[in-house]
Amino acid sequence: MLPLVEIPELVRHYAPWFASLLSPEALAQFQRYISGLIVSENKTVDGINRIFVVDVRNQSSLNRFLHESPFSIEAVNQARLKLLSSLAGTQMKPKGILSVDDTLLTHYGQHFEKIAYLYDSTQGCYVWAHNLVNLHYSDDQTDYPVDFRLWEPVDIDALEAGLKAAGVPLRAGKYVLKDSAPKKWRNYLLHLWRRHQHKPAVQQLYQSKLLFAQQMLTKFFSNHPELNLPVTFDNWYTQPAFCQFLDKTVQTAYVGTLANDDRVILASGTQRLDAFALTLQAEHQDALKHGTTPVFHKITIDYKGARETYYSYCHTHRIHNFGKQRLVINHRKADLSDTAMFLMSNKLNWQAQGITRIRRHRWPVAVDHEEGKADGLDQDQVRDFQALSRHIALVAVTYSLLRAAQHDRALLHTLQQQIKTRLDGSAGSCRRHTQ
C-alpha cells in the first residue's frame, strides 16, 4: 500500500467544484476520502485513513464525515455532473445512450442496515447484499453514472397494513401462509402491490427497482429536455410496464433484450424466439445454398473507436405482451453457430445497425460496476444505510474524476510536468500516476 504525503493533484484540481457544498472541515475529509478511494488497496475507512503519513488524523474524522456530515448526496451528484458537462469529452452528446442496470454489493454477515438475502447470478447462489440501481450514460468518448439508488427490501408487515388501508382486499384463505409459508405470503402481497400500484396510496408502500428506474429517467428527461436519448437495458428490465412507460410517458426510444422463451406472434401461431431463430437459420442456409437473398445480413457498427461485425435479422413483429416491436436477432459468426441475441425496439423504422449500436452501449454500465467495485463500491463495510449511500456517491465522484481527467488538457499537462512522463489519457494512466 502506497503512503500519501499530500492530497493528489487530480483531487485538488477538481475539489473546487464541490467546495460550496461542504464546510472547510468536510471538504478536507472529502478530499482525503476520494484520495483513498483512488490510491488505497484497502478502501475501508480505516484503510483510507492509514495511508496518510503526514497529516495524520484519527479515523473517527472520516467516520463522522460519512455518518454525520450534513452534505446532500443529490447536491454532490449534481456538482459531479456539472463538472463532467464542462469538458467537451465528457459532456452529454446527441448520440449518447442511457442504460439501466443494477448490481449486488455483497457483504460478509447480516448486520448491515436494510441488507437482503439476494440471488447472485454470477455466483449461482444467494448472498447477503445491497442492490444498487444505476442509470448510466455512454457515448464513444466516455461513460459514467448519471444517477443511482439503493434498493430497499419491502417491509412485509407495513405492506400488509398499507394494502388494507388502501382498500385492497386480501383473501382470507391466504392468511395461513404468514406462519406456514412466509415466502409465499410475501410473494402474494407483492403480487397484490403490483396489481394495484397504479393507485398512489399503494405505490408509495414499496419502491421496486423498476420504479427506481422510472423515477431516475423521469428526473433525467425533466432536467435535460434538450436531450432525446434512447434507453437500453437487459432482459430483467425488459418488462411490458417499463417499456410502456418509456414509450408513452417519457416518449423516448428504447432497446430491450428478449429471452429465448419470449414469444413472437406469427401468422402460423405463437412461437418461442429460440425456435423462431432456428427456423430463420435454416432458411438462411438454404438461401445461401441456392444463391438467393439471405435472411441474416452482415452489418458493422462503430463502438468506442472500433468496428464490430454482426450478422442480423431485422423485421417488425408482434411480441407477446409487448405488441408490435422492431425485432433484431444478432449473431457474431457468419455461420450463425454462436448463441443468438434477441433485441427489440419501439422504433419500427429503425434498422439492425442502429438498434445493435444502442444495445452495445449497455456494456459500459457493467464495466462501471466492475470498476466501481475496484474503487471500493462494495468494500466499505459501512453498516448505516445513509452512510453507505454517501459512500456510493463518493465512489461515483471518484469514477467521474478519472473519466474527466482523460479529457482535461490542463490537468494532464500539469501531471505530465510533475512526473516528466507523457500520459496516454486513459483512466488507468491517471490512476497510476496519481499514485
Side-chain angles (χ1 to χ4, degrees), residues 54-73:
V54 175
D55 184 14
V56 178
R57 303 188 185 188
N58 191 286
Q59 75 171 51
S60 61
S61 298
L62 282 178
N63 264 319
R64 284 195 299 273
F65 174 65
L66 283 183
H67 290 82
E68 301 173 14
S69 179
F71 77 83
S72 162
I73 293 174

Side-chain angles (χ1 to χ4, degrees), residues 196 226 271 325 354 365 422 433:
H196 297 274
E226 76 285 359
Q271 191 173 28
Q325 300 282 322
V365 70
R422 182 170 180 80
H433 289 96

